[in-house]
Amino acid sequence: MFGRNATMVDPANALPGRDTPVPVPERHTVLGTPPAPPYPDGAQIADLGMGCFWGPEQVFWRLGAEGGIITTAVGYAGGYTPNPTYEEVCSGLTGHTEAVRVVFEPERISYTEILKIFWEGHDPTQGLRQGNDVGSQYRSMVLYHDEAQREAAEATREAFQPVLERSGYGSITTEIEPLRAFYFAEHYHQQYLHKNPGGYCGSGGTGASCPIGVARTDG
């Protein structure tokens, strides 16, 4: 948590990383499903940056299988360094944000509904920080997998902006970019708040409600 580098690293100055990925646990501690691919046929993936990833992952796994959630995981995305460590990401020298991966059944929960949870679950107006957590690794991001996801992210952002303004907030700073790579975080970060019930949770929204129905709801 609590980073200090509130600037984005230039790609030329990013840490080099490594070729070897971090080992991924075979089973989700709460849901019992594999966190890593291959995922079931028909499953869709949402990769989202909402600040420190411990709290947001818990928000999504609590929806459970009955809520359409197949599995969740935390990792690093949106930057330049391959297979970074947590310490490297927290240095601000990888360009990554802390991201939560949500694998879901679109027949039970749409991508737009996932985005509603995303927008309401953090403050998307804070730039390179989230609350007391300062640094590029805490910035708000939607990392889309296809054009339908991009359109949904942009449409819900446009719908949420005037709601935030009426609540006294500024402009949304959320980055909406195609996913280049998702690097799984170390095992001790996976389902952290299940393993450490009293652990730090920086999650907190604005109290504003994001209208849905303004974007595609079929995936």
Side-chain angles (χ1 to χ4, degrees):
M1 43 186 187
F2 305 119
R4 290 291 179 266
N5 192 341
T7 60
M8 276 297 296
V9 66
D10 186 279
N13 297 325
L15 295 174
R18 56 201 51 81
D19 294 331
T20 305
V22 169
V24 182
E26 291 185 3
R27 297 287 169 182
H28 192 287
T29 306
V30 179
L31 301 175
T33 48
Y39 300 123
D41 290 344
Q44 293 191 16
I45 303 169
D47 290 320
L48 307 165
M50 304 170 61
C52 176
F53 48 25
W54 295 336
E57 189 193 13
Q58 178 177 248
V59 169
F60 286 106
W61 88 54
R62 282 180 168 174
L63 296 176
E66 63 276 12
I69 304 303
I70 297 170
T71 197
T72 63
V74 295
Y76 315 115
Y80 316 108
T81 300
N83 301 300
T85 66
Y86 179 67
E87 290 74 20
E88 288 173 340
V89 172
C90 287
S91 75
L93 297 177
T94 71
H96 291 299
T97 191
E98 294 188 16
V100 57
R101 166 161 288 192
V102 184
V103 184
F104 62 98
E105 297 179 69
E107 298 82 7
R108 292 194 171 193
I109 185 169
S110 71
Y111 185 66
T112 300
E113 290 169 320
I114 295 285
L115 287 173
K116 178 177 172 65
I117 297 169
F118 164 78
W119 292 119
E120 295 178 359
H122 73 303
D123 182 349
T125 70
Q126 293 195 351
L128 303 183
R129 65 179 299 157
Q130 193 64 208
N132 291 326
D133 295 334
V134 179
S136 58
Q137 69 270 30
Y138 301 115
R139 71 192 189 278
S140 175
M141 290 193 78
V142 176
L143 298 132
Y144 61 83
H145 288 249
D146 55 33
E147 283 301 294
Q149 288 194 355
R150 180 188 63 78
E151 291 171 5
E154 292 179 352
T156 52
R157 177 188 61 191
E158 296 309 307
F160 197 33
Q161 181 64 67
V163 176
L164 287 172
E165 290 173 357
R166 289 195 294 270
S167 298
Y169 289 87
S171 297
I172 290 173
T173 59
T174 302
E175 298 172 25
I176 299 175
E177 297 185 358
L179 178 75
R180 296 191 296 272
F182 179 92
Y183 300 105
F184 286 90
E186 296 83 347
H187 68 89
Y188 58 89
H189 290 298
Q190 307 296 338
Q191 298 86 65
Y192 179 85
L193 291 179
H194 176 75
K195 301 168 185 174
N196 302 275
Y200 173 79
C201 177
S203 292
T206 60
S209 178
C210 179
I212 62 171
V214 295
R216 293 171 60 101
T217 58
D218 57 354

